[in-house]
Amino acid sequence: MKSEIELPVQKQLEAYNARDIDAFMGWWADDCQYYAFPATLLAGSAAEIRAHHIERFKEPDLHGKLLTRITVGNVVIDHETVTRNFPEGRGEIDVVCIYEVENGKIAKAWFKLSEPRILS
């Protein structure tokens, strides 16, 4: 790990993959903001992010695979492939995740998703 800036991003990814909502939320600031890239606010607080992820964490195949990570200042950018359970079946999406870290917590995050690929 390059820096302490990456720590909350790495730890929330590990908690995401474990589907551990309490560990996951421990890395998000109370007043964090969660966006669909570039500027659609999806959640404006940790409570809203928690509610969204409680449902997501029920997916049995949920897993984020980190492909690349870069850090510039207090911004961490991850490229991941995420396995999900879609209504059409098990599939994958590519995700670019941009995290702004302040005081050891994720303060803002933006997510750009590809179209799902259903796995046969």
Side-chain angles (χ1 to χ4, degrees):
M1 189 166 314
K2 289 183 186 177
S3 71
E4 64 186 45
I5 294 297
E6 293 180 8
L7 182 66
V9 174
Q10 179 60 37
K11 291 299 186 181
Q12 66 86 39
L13 176 61
E14 291 170 9
Y16 181 93
N17 286 336
R19 294 187 293 282
D20 182 339
I21 192 66
D22 293 325
F24 179 78
M25 292 309 306
W27 298 103
W28 293 83
D30 291 340
D31 61 348
C32 55
Q33 296 174 334
Y34 187 100
Y35 294 90
F37 186 85
T40 302
L41 184 65
L42 300 176
S45 69
E48 291 177 10
I49 292 172
R50 174 184 279 275
H52 174 78
H53 282 83
I54 283 174
E55 287 305 309
R56 174 78 44 88
F57 285 3
K58 292 177 182 177
E59 295 181 22
D61 295 310
L62 184 69
H63 183 82
K65 179 181 177 186
L66 180 64
L67 304 174
T68 306
R69 173 173 289 157
I70 62 171
T71 304
V72 178
N74 70 328
V75 174
V76 179
I77 303 168
D78 282 358
H79 176 207
E80 301 174 5
T81 296
V82 178
T83 303
R84 301 243 352 247
N85 298 99
F86 297 101
E88 306 83 10
R90 186 171 176 267
E92 295 178 336
I93 55 173
D94 295 316
V95 184
V96 174
C97 317
I98 305 167
Y99 301 96
E100 185 176 85
V101 177
E102 295 177 2
N103 301 315
K105 302 261 185 167
I106 300 167
K108 291 183 182 177
W110 296 261
F111 299 91
K112 176 69 174 172
L113 284 61
S114 71
E115 291 297 317
R117 295 180 301 278
I118 302 304
L119 304 172
S120 52

